[in-house]
């Protein structure tokens, strides 16, 4: 079975093609970006509409397939921006009708976890999902993917992008902060804000802005201190989730999973606990269509069927609202 998956939850429009063994045959994407990285929903929507046809063609070429070879259409039904989500949903409905094949709408966050599990061979991990807009600690418990900890304000990726803007690094800030931090040595104390299992970044953000403006410290030291502080918060909460839920695997995914210092901290924590640790391969950790296609395959194979009338997008679809029919 071949599934074509469509991702359009935010600024990335992606088309992936995956087979029922989880092999990624194509993964084409295009990201709408602005200088500052802020997202303009109408412009992002126009970007998706304009590129849709080309990306589908490119994905078919990459996979050496024809449109008529596709057996199933999957699309991200939420969470995300209503307008951009609708571009993916409309594309999915059109392809499904045109080819006379089924379609399934899947949850974007859950798709991140399942493609990560497929590629790392982890079976039942605590997942730390760190991207621009999302920062969540998720694990499967009581027939659902439950969120055990999450950001109370912004996603850690967006936080790093904002800190990068204060320092004049350009967008995206995450990789730039990582580079700067490698050269930093002196730790400058920053607010460490964990509330129960949740964490927040706005306090740290304000403090870093003040410190950058004060010009008392180098950006290298500030980048270093920023990473040490917020990644320690994420590692601490992940460790507590592992301990409370009693899982013995940790999966790191999302765009920020590319960060070596975060990986190092989690690796150390997992080693000390005797827990297996894996990072989702980079090509599949950011937003893309292959994860949506794979999620479509596992849900369809487990019996999920949807009528067109049931494919309305849900911008606020929470991870723990997803009915998990594929884990027995
Ligand atoms: P989502 O819609 O799931 O929130 P997204 O649209 O933000 O995802 P991703 O590709 O998952 O997209 O993540 C992008 C984020 O990852 C950006 O904020 C970027 O700064 C951050 N990032 C990328 N590489 C690194 C890195 N090496 N270190 C830290 N952050 C990074
Ligand atoms: Fe994502």
């Amino acid at each position: 079975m071949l599934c074509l998956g469509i991702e359009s939850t935010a600024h990335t429009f992606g088309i992936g093609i995956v087979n029922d063994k989880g092999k990624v045959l194509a993964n084409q994407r295009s990201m709408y970006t602005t200088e500052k990285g802020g997202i303009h929903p109408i412009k992002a929507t126009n970007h998706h509409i304009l590129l849709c046809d080309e990306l589908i063609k490119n994905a078919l070429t990459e996979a050496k397939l024809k449109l008529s070879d596709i057996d199933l259409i999957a699309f991200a039904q939420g969470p995300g921006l209503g307008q951009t989500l609708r571009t993916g949903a409309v594309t999915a409905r059109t392809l499904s009708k045109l080819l006379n094949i089924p379609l399934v709408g899947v949850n974007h966050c859950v798709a991140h976890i399942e493609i990560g599990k497929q590629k790392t061979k982890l079976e039942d991990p605590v997942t730390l999902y760190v991207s621009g807009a999302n920062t969540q600690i998720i694990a499967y418990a009581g027939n659902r993917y439950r969120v055990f900890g999450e950001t109370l304000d912004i996603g850690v990726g967006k936080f790093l992008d904002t800190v990068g803007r204060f320092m004049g690094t350009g967008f995206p800030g995450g990789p730039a902060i990582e580079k700067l931090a490698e050269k930093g040595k002196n730790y400058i104390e920053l607010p460490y804000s964990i509330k129960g299992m949740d964490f927040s970044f706005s306090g740290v953000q304000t403090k870093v802005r003040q410190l950058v403006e004060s010009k008392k410290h180098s950006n290298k030291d500030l980048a270093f201190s920023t990473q040490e502080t917020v990644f320690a918060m994420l590692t601490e909460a992940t460790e507590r989730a592992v301990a409370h839920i009693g899982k013995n695997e940790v999966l790191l995914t999302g765009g920020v999973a590319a960060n070596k210092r975060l990986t190092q901290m989690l690796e150390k924590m997992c080693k000390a606990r005797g827990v297996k640790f894996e990072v989702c391969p980079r090509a599949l950790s950011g937003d893309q269509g292959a994860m949506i296609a794979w999620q479509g395959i596992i849900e369809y194979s487990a019996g999920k069927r949807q009528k067109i009338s049931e494919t309305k997008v849900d911008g606020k679809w929470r991870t723990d609202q997803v009915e998990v029919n594929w884990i027995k």
Side-chain angles (χ1 to χ4, degrees):
M1 177 190 268
L2 293 169
C3 180
L4 183 145
I6 307 164
E7 160 62 27
S8 72
T9 56
H11 37 44
T12 299
F13 192 80
I15 300 285
I17 302 175
V18 175
N19 73 11
D20 51 11
K21 303 266 182 317
K23 185 166 187 222
V24 177
L25 303 170
N27 209 8
Q28 295 282 328
R29 62 175 135 178
S30 171
M31 192 176 175
Y32 168 77
T33 50
T34 54
E35 252 325 79
K36 288 185 175 168
I39 180 159
H40 189 298
I42 296 173
K43 287 185 181 161
T45 303
N46 288 342
H47 162 270
H48 295 359
I49 292 168
L50 284 171
L51 277 153
C52 175
D53 187 39
E54 187 182 324
L55 286 172
I56 294 174
K57 279 186 187 138
N58 291 351
L60 290 167
T61 307
E62 187 188 347
K64 301 191 180 65
L65 293 168
K66 297 187 297 293
L67 199 50
S68 56
D69 294 325
I70 303 297
D71 305 296
L72 176 68
I73 303 293
F75 72 101
Q77 203 167 350
L81 301 168
Q83 295 187 51
T84 60
L85 278 168
R86 259 173 244 128
T87 65
V90 168
T91 309
R93 289 177 204 129
T94 309
L95 287 172
S96 163
K97 277 273 175 205
L98 187 76
L99 301 168
N100 197 23
I101 55 174
L103 85 167
V104 278
V106 305
N107 182 284
H108 172 95
C109 305
V110 168
H112 269 295
I113 301 175
E114 290 297 339
I115 194 85
K117 278 167 64 183
Q118 214 281 333
K119 292 297 155 198
T120 60
K121 302 291 169 223
L122 290 182
E123 284 173 4
D124 186 20
V126 165
T127 300
L128 176 60
Y129 165 36
V130 278
S131 66
N134 297 292
T135 302
Q136 295 186 327
I137 296 167
I138 311 161
Y140 184 72
N143 303 317
R144 298 260 157 168
Y145 273 115
R146 314 239 173 227
V147 178
F148 286 89
E150 65 189 320
T151 177
L152 297 169
D153 39 50
I154 49 175
V156 67
K158 172 120 194 291
F159 160 79
L160 292 169
D161 293 337
T162 309
V163 167
R165 208 168 70 222
F166 299 155
M167 295 183 184
T169 65
F171 182 80
I177 299 279
E178 177 171 26
K179 277 226 167 67
L180 272 173
E182 280 164 16
K183 296 181 207 129
K185 280 193 257 342
N186 304 305
Y187 182 77
I188 300 138
E189 192 146 344
L190 296 172
Y192 186 90
S193 62
I194 280 211
K195 288 165 191 151
M197 291 289 288
D198 298 328
F199 23 82
S200 79
F201 301 106
S202 57
V204 199
Q205 188 174 298
T206 306
K207 185 70 191 176
V208 175
R209 193 185 67 220
Q210 288 166 353
L211 289 170
V212 170
E213 284 168 359
S214 80
K215 297 198 165 72
K216 273 197 241 150
H217 308 277
S218 71
N219 282 350
K220 293 172 193 165
D221 284 343
L222 284 173
F224 167 73
S225 308
T226 300
Q227 284 205 156
E228 292 305 300
T229 306
V230 298
F231 294 164
M233 280 157 46
L234 295 173
T235 305
E236 182 192 323
T238 306
E239 178 168 21
R240 265 192 281 146
V242 170
H244 289 330
I245 322 160
K247 304 262 184 199
N248 49 26
E249 297 173 339
V250 168
L251 170 68
L252 175 64
T253 194
V256 185
N259 190 288
K260 290 197 193 67
R261 182 59 184 136
L262 175 60
T263 307
Q264 211 178 47
M265 282 194 195
L266 289 161
E267 208 162 29
K268 198 168 167 192
M269 178 276 282
C270 288
K271 205 167 172 198
R273 290 199 149 264
V275 165
K276 212 166 156 192
F277 173 64
E278 296 285 348
V279 185
C280 182
R282 200 159 173 172
L284 296 168
S285 65
D287 289 353
Q288 28 73 37
M291 68 177 190
I292 304 299
W294 175 238
Q295 189 62 33
I297 285 192
I298 58 181
E299 295 199 28
Y300 184 82
S301 305
K304 178 162 170 174
R305 298 292 181 268
Q306 263 172 305
K307 296 192 195 92
I308 297 266
S309 58
E310 294 162 340
T311 58
K312 216 171 146 222
V313 303
D314 182 357
K316 294 201 161 52
W317 193 12
R318 284 186 55 91
T319 305
D320 47 18
Q321 290 171 332
V322 177
E323 278 182 45
V324 180
N325 69 346
W326 62 94
I327 300 177
K328 300 285 178 264

